[in-house]
Amino acid sequence: MDKQALTKFIKSAILPGWCHGLRGWTVTGLPNHSEKVLRGVDGSIMATTWNFYLNFWLWIDDELITPETLPLNKIEHHLDSGHLPISIFEFHHKDILMRNTLTVIDGATNGIGLINVDVENLSPTRHKVVLGLVVRPFRVNEQMGAISHLSYADRILSINDKFHIFVEGNPQFVITSLFEGNELSPKGDDKVPQLLSGALMYNLRMAPGAGKHIKFRFNIDPMDRRSAVTLLHRLPIYLPIDKVRTYWRTLLYRTRWHIPAPLPDAIYASLAYILINMADNQLRPGLTFYNYFWYRDAAYIVAALLRYGYADFVKRTLPTFMEGQLPTGEFPPILDDRLRPVKPIKRLKEWDSQGQAIFAIAEYYRFTGDKEMLKTYYPHIQRAAEYILKQRTRRLKERLRNTPYYGLLPPSWSAEDLGSDKWHHYWDDFWCVIGLRDAAFISRILGKQDSHRYEAAASELLNSVFNSIQILIRRKKIKWIPNGPEDLNSSSMARGTSPLLWPGRLVDTSNTLVRESFDYYFKKWIQPYGGGYYHQKHFWPYGLELATCYLILRQPQRAHMILDWYLQHQTVPGTYAWAEVIDDINPWWSRIYPRILDKSMP
């Protein structure tokens, strides 16, 4: 294939996979590091510091094969050993198999990326094959990127002067603009600013049964070319993957699981994602738009990590919980990487975060017995409990007596997916009951005098919730626990009630109203969809919170039905990664929800 033809192919109007329905991504990286590497459903690779992505194309007998345009059933994703965060992507065409393996090793602030590419001829005939490492100004997370400069020399491909890929062999370098077919100079002329594309082309002569193995590595942290050469050249090109496997197995196998497949893989993969998404000792639920600290998500993750043997990681995160507290005692629901309230969220209240912060500290103590930690953070816990009580007084007005609002927490945005911020949400109340109960528990452990007051306040708040529900049952003729007084019929009722059982265990499981309510949720929002939780006109992985509730209610068949549905509907099949909102075929949003079991099934 001559250079002019190569340039034409590179410039081809081949849009990213996310334009063709291949939406979503998974992630790899190192635990508790700020930057990661994303892997798109179409096989594309992008460090979170990059404003471009790379992918691998094949020309087989002059026919161009790009994973961006292949249907989902023609590509495969795997995790090494079924669950290690070593991403494997492959496709085959005309009996030519292309597989690339992606992982991150230590060696810089946020690690060094490694890619191993294998091309195999599985046919009995010879094929002319060209492998292209293609760099394009797109992002894995469904956005345009920018490439203003590309250069190649001494086995280093440099992009935007800050990011560099060390390559094996002697490929041919091609550079062009994204939308014009004219070849540009190797220095990257500014004919189409920010929209350069390029490729390193390997001409492979593939005899029957032959295989080719080519290795690449790249920097994640921005650096100049000289620093990159020093960093990338000093590593042996053949880094044994066994060292990466050993590292992750040592970290993940603190608890061994002897349960039916694929559940052990799901658990280990989920733990790896949790640890990778953790950054600067903050538990974060995802990347890009979701790369913040949510008290809500962090509380559930803490519960999971403690049960899987990661109290040491939890201990590192607890200062984050406490440092975000405002002088008023409020724990704002979302914090940025400097532990400041996230705009415009700081103008919206979410009362549940108060209970979640207290719960996280109490849960850590229950698993470790670390009384010194309780002593250190008791002033924070006390301020949060008093803040809950202060907010509740706003709904203890005489004019509200005998209404379904009396004694509840005020309206809020709550869990963000439950409905209007003008509504009362029982989710908030249940979480604040948990917080007050745990504040009383901690107070008793430390011999403080607040324990009885907080215990009484927890009981009073829970009684107010059930009094509210009974009023609605009488006046509105409902037979279940709704989302709140203003929302009697939406799917939010199911998730909104879940803290009552998990992690709260606030009532006896023989409670008739509770059992009938969860029966109704299952028949209304789960069973008709085969086990997926249909919520706000989409499917949400929060169904796993409900699965835990059904286990607590001693209804394992329902829990297994839910779990099976999510295992069969992964956003990136084969990786145990989910978007936050999914339909039954493709992800709707691309927020990775890498925590299939972080709801800590008891």
Side-chain angles (χ1 to χ4, degrees):
M1 184 178 291
D2 60 32
K3 198 168 186 179
Q4 185 176 0
L6 289 174
T7 303
K8 179 180 178 181
F9 278 127
I10 297 301
K11 159 267 175 190
S12 301
I14 296 170
L15 297 174
W18 42 263
C19 292
H20 303 282
L22 299 179
R23 304 179 64 193
W25 61 80
T26 185
V27 63
T28 189
L30 297 173
N32 202 23
H33 284 61
S34 59
E35 305 297 344
K36 334 289 181 185
V37 179
L38 304 182
R39 161 83 84 176
V41 176
D42 62 0
S44 53
I45 296 169
M46 183 191 81
T48 50
T49 50
W50 294 357
N51 204 20
F52 59 92
Y53 77 45
L54 67 86
N55 211 342
F56 293 92
W57 294 358
L58 285 181
W59 290 261
I60 304 173
D61 301 325
D62 293 328
E63 178 186 2
L64 175 61
I65 309 299
T66 67
E68 287 94 333
T69 58
L70 291 175
L72 190 60
N73 62 359
K74 296 294 184 182
I75 59 180
E76 292 187 22
H77 287 265
H78 310 282
L79 298 177
D80 189 283
S81 304
H83 53 263
L84 301 179
I86 302 169
S87 170
I88 302 169
F89 174 82
E90 63 181 51
F91 67 87
H92 72 271
H93 183 76
K94 287 186 176 179
D95 291 323
I96 300 296
L97 172 69
M98 194 283 290
R99 177 190 302 111
N100 73 70
T101 302
L102 168 69
T103 192
V104 175
I105 63 169
D106 205 357
T109 301
N110 285 293
I112 297 169
L114 301 181
I115 307 171
N116 295 344
V117 178
D118 297 288
V119 182
E120 299 178 31
N121 182 2
L122 305 177
S123 75
T125 59
R126 180 181 296 273
H127 286 282
K128 181 172 64 174
V129 178
V130 176
L131 171 70
L133 183 159
V134 183
V135 180
R136 310 178 76 210
F138 299 112
R139 295 174 58 86
V140 170
N141 58 321
E142 304 188 14
Q143 297 176 358
M144 282 297 300
I147 300 178
S148 57
H149 188 272
L150 279 170
S151 63
Y152 177 69
D154 300 325
R155 300 169 68 186
I156 295 282
L157 174 64
S158 298
I159 305 101
N160 293 338
D161 299 318
K162 296 180 180 180
F163 302 103
H164 314 274
I165 304 170
F166 181 85
V167 309
E168 185 180 21
N170 296 294
Q172 185 177 19
F173 177 50
V174 179
I175 183 173
T176 183
S177 64
L178 182 60
F179 299 115
E180 292 185 0
N182 299 322
E183 183 189 348
L184 304 182
S185 73
K187 293 183 179 180
D189 295 345
D190 292 328
K191 293 183 179 179
V192 186
Q194 309 293 313
L195 295 178
L196 300 183
S197 292
L200 297 177
M201 316 301 298
Y202 292 83
N203 286 290
L204 309 177
R205 302 181 184 277
M206 302 294 292
K212 301 291 184 180
H213 311 282
I214 305 173
K215 300 180 183 292
F216 307 86
R217 52 183 179 256
F218 56 84
N219 64 300
I220 297 174
D221 305 298
M223 62 183 64
D224 59 41
R225 181 183 175 86
R226 177 177 294 181
S227 300
V229 168
T230 301
L231 173 68
L232 299 177
H233 269 282
R234 76 186 184 198
L235 297 172
I237 193 69
Y238 292 102
L239 284 165
I241 201 72
D242 282 346
K243 289 187 177 180
V244 181
R245 292 189 184 107
T246 298
Y247 170 82
W248 277 106
R249 285 171 178 159
T250 301
L251 184 58
L252 296 178
Y253 292 176
R254 295 185 179 187
T255 303
R256 300 307 301 267
W257 297 90
H258 303 284
I259 52 180
L263 292 178
D265 286 340
I267 292 171
Y268 292 131
S270 298
L271 284 170
Y273 289 138
I274 289 172
L275 298 177
I276 290 170
N277 279 334
M278 185 177 174
D280 303 319
N281 292 326
Q282 298 176 27
L283 294 170
R284 300 179 184 177
L287 301 171
T288 62
F289 182 74
Y290 294 89
N291 196 19
Y292 296 113
F293 176 87
W294 263 265
Y295 280 93
R296 179 180 313 112
D297 298 73
Y300 282 108
I301 296 172
V302 162
L305 289 177
L306 289 169
R307 283 158 177 78
Y308 298 150
Y310 293 85
D312 53 335
F313 278 84
V314 171
K315 186 174 184 177
R316 298 181 210 172
T317 73
L318 294 182
T320 297
F321 280 81
M322 299 300 106
E323 288 174 28
Q325 190 176 35
L326 301 179
T328 60
E330 179 188 4
F331 287 105
I334 310 172
L335 306 175
D336 64 15
D337 58 0
R338 296 175 64 182
L339 302 180
R340 300 172 303 186
V342 174
K343 298 178 181 180
I345 306 301
K346 70 178 183 178
R347 294 197 294 270
L348 298 173
K349 299 300 184 181
E350 299 177 23
W351 310 122
D352 57 334
S353 54
Q354 323 312 313
Q356 289 147 1
I358 300 171
F359 165 79
I361 298 293
E363 195 78 343
Y364 174 76
Y365 173 80
R366 283 190 279 265
F367 277 82
T368 65
D370 187 348
K371 196 171 181 179
E372 292 303 312
M373 184 70 74
L374 297 187
K375 292 178 181 178
T376 299
Y377 293 129
Y378 187 72
H380 296 267
I381 294 164
Q382 191 176 36
R383 287 198 298 272
E386 296 298 331
Y387 184 81
I388 293 172
L389 299 181
K390 181 179 178 181
Q391 301 312 312
R392 183 170 177 255
T393 60
R394 295 163 57 185
R395 286 297 180 270
L396 289 173
K397 307 297 184 182
E398 187 60 32
R399 62 182 175 81
L400 296 176
R401 192 178 295 277
N402 299 319
T403 74
Y405 314 113
Y406 184 78
L408 303 181
L409 272 298
S412 85
W413 202 24
S414 192
E416 301 171 21
D417 63 294
L418 298 181
S420 171
D421 63 304
K422 307 299 183 184
W423 294 349
H424 300 76
H425 299 277
Y426 293 144
W427 167 282
D428 290 340
D429 300 294
F430 293 140
W431 264 111
C432 285
V433 172
I434 294 170
L436 290 170
R437 178 198 64 186
D438 282 346
F441 166 74
I442 293 169
S443 182
R444 284 196 303 274
I445 295 297
L446 297 179
K448 303 292 184 179
Q449 297 180 351
D450 300 312
S451 60
H452 295 298
R453 189 163 64 93
Y454 293 152
E455 191 71 54
S459 296
E460 289 172 8
L461 177 53
L462 188 60
N463 287 338
S464 293
V465 174
F466 278 95
N467 288 338
S468 172
I469 296 167
Q470 290 301 324
I471 291 173
L472 296 172
I473 289 173
R474 291 194 304 271
R475 295 179 181 177
K476 303 297 183 179
K477 308 305 180 185
I478 63 173
K479 298 180 180 179
W480 54 83
I481 301 173
N483 175 41
E486 298 91 347
D487 178 21
L488 306 182
N489 296 298
S490 83
S491 58
S492 298
M493 64 177 70
R495 188 187 183 208
T497 306
S498 64
L500 180 68
L501 292 180
W502 177 251
R505 297 180 182 262
L506 299 177
V507 294
D508 191 283
T509 55
S510 64
N511 182 294
T512 301
L513 176 61
V514 171
R515 298 191 72 86
E516 290 180 351
S517 295
F518 277 88
D519 283 344
Y520 180 76
Y521 306 155
F522 185 80
K523 293 172 182 176
K524 181 76 172 178
W525 308 112
I526 298 171
Q527 189 175 40
Y529 309 101
Y533 171 41
Y534 192 66
H535 174 46
Q536 307 288 6
K537 298 183 180 181
H538 294 288
F539 293 101
W540 300 61
Y542 302 143
L544 294 166
E545 296 171 357
L546 296 169
T548 307
C549 293
Y550 289 114
L551 284 179
I552 292 170
L553 291 170
R554 301 185 184 278
Q555 298 173 3
Q557 296 85 356
R558 290 179 172 181
H560 293 163
M561 183 179 180
I562 295 170
L563 183 57
D564 288 344
W565 190 93
Y566 286 100
L567 290 171
Q568 294 165 14
H569 292 80
Q570 300 170 44
T571 302
V572 185
T575 65
Y576 303 104
W578 290 262
E580 185 187 32
V581 186
I582 60 176
D583 62 28
D584 59 347
I585 299 174
N586 299 311
W588 181 254
W589 294 345
S590 293
R591 173 188 180 184
I592 280 299
Y593 194 90
R595 310 191 299 256
I596 181 171
L597 295 177
D598 85 337
K599 302 310 174 193
S600 313
M601 293 185 177

